[in-house]
Amino acid sequence: MRGDFDNNQPIYQQIIDRMIAAIAKGDLAPGAKVASVRDLALQHNVNPNTMQKSLAKLEEMGYLYTERTSGRYVTQNLAVVEQLAARVPEKIIGDFVAQMIDFGMAAPDIPGRVSDYIERMDYNGKNIGN
Amino acid sequence: MEKILEINGLHKNYGKTHAVKGISLDVEKGKIVGLLGPNGSGKTTIIKTIMGLLSDYDGNVAIAGTTPGVAANENISYLPDVSHIPNWFKVNQAISFFADFYKDFDAKRAENMLDSMNIPRDKKIKALSRGMQEKVQLSLVMSRRAKLYILDEPIGAVDPASREFIISTILKNFNEEGAILLSTHIIADIEPILDVAVFLKEGQIVLNDDVEKIREEKGMSLDQLFREVFKNVV
């Protein structure tokens, strides 16, 4: 999860997106302790104040909460996590479709291209070519 | 917010050449500030003034409330763009040199850092590669518990692989009770760790802003904005 941010966009927003995806996927499990601001900043190679801002926003959004003495945790509210898990694929598809259209592809042609691609995949999800 | 560095109306000329033309700049506690500009924009003059190496300037400068000089320098950990450690020193002599010189130097921290890079302590500094020398110097500078860290071109001479190491060393050892003033003209690698960017052009500040705000408002990276502002200069 480290580095490789798009420097054209606010980095705190990109960290928020990545952490939301991690919560949705269960990489950050409900109730799990979140590393300290400093450790996370190092992991991602970003400024600690930027990381602090991301975590504060995630807290405001209800995905994280702070236990006053022991640190930050992922929400234990499973309904929130499930809702997220439903939203993330939607967002990925949205981004993908937007990119394809931007590339010049007609929306109705996209599903066909996707199934062609999937047919060429092995069980590990790797494209094995034609 | 506590100010670690305050500069008010700083003006410095060398004869008829005005190197710095009345700049004002505050650096707050806990911030990493990039002093960015092409060669000749005034970065070095500002740093020299803060370090107490220039006396005939106009304006006011204060480091943690103290005007530049010997007393103020106790609060400053300085990484110059050229090495200030005698290169015939062995690495462990350089460590004891720092320990003798600076009350706030944490030798244990420096030793751990050098060990993590497998830098042999009994080697002379001049026998190390250029990249290694820079790493040794940065490790020593970041092992002080200073108020103000001044890093002059910390990634100037190192290869891209070492840049990442240097950036993470800065982050890992950043004392949040202090602040970092970092001068560079290589923006892309350093911009993820900056809070604030200060653009210097011909001795004047042409921009002083929160880096995330720049990305948010302009939809461009600091590197891109820098190239735009300085397109006729660099």
Side-chain angles (χ1 to χ4, degrees), chain A residues 2 5-14 38 41-42 44-50 53, chain B residues 30 32 164 168 171-174 176 188 191-195 212 215-216 219-221 224:
Chain A
R2 67 175 300 176
F5 291 101
D6 173 5
N7 285 332
N8 297 304
Q9 303 296 327
I11 290 173
Y12 82 89
Q13 190 60 53
Q14 298 175 61
R38 209 185 175 89
L42 270 175
H44 291 260
N45 256 342
V46 297
N47 183 294
N49 295 314
T50 305
K53 184 170 174 184
Chain B
I32 304 179
E164 193 176 331
S168 67
L171 276 183
K172 207 178 292 176
N173 297 288
F174 174 41
E176 278 159 35
E191 70 166 277
I193 72 163
L194 296 181
D195 284 294
E212 288 278 78
R215 293 191 188 104
E216 199 147 25
M220 62 168 83
S221 65
Q224 246 179 317

Side-chain angles (χ1 to χ4, degrees), chain B residues 151-168:
Chain B
L151 311 178
D152 195 0
E153 299 284 357
I155 59 169
V158 299
D159 55 283
S162 301
R163 279 182 197 170
E164 193 176 331
F165 175 84
I166 286 185
I167 289 167
S168 67

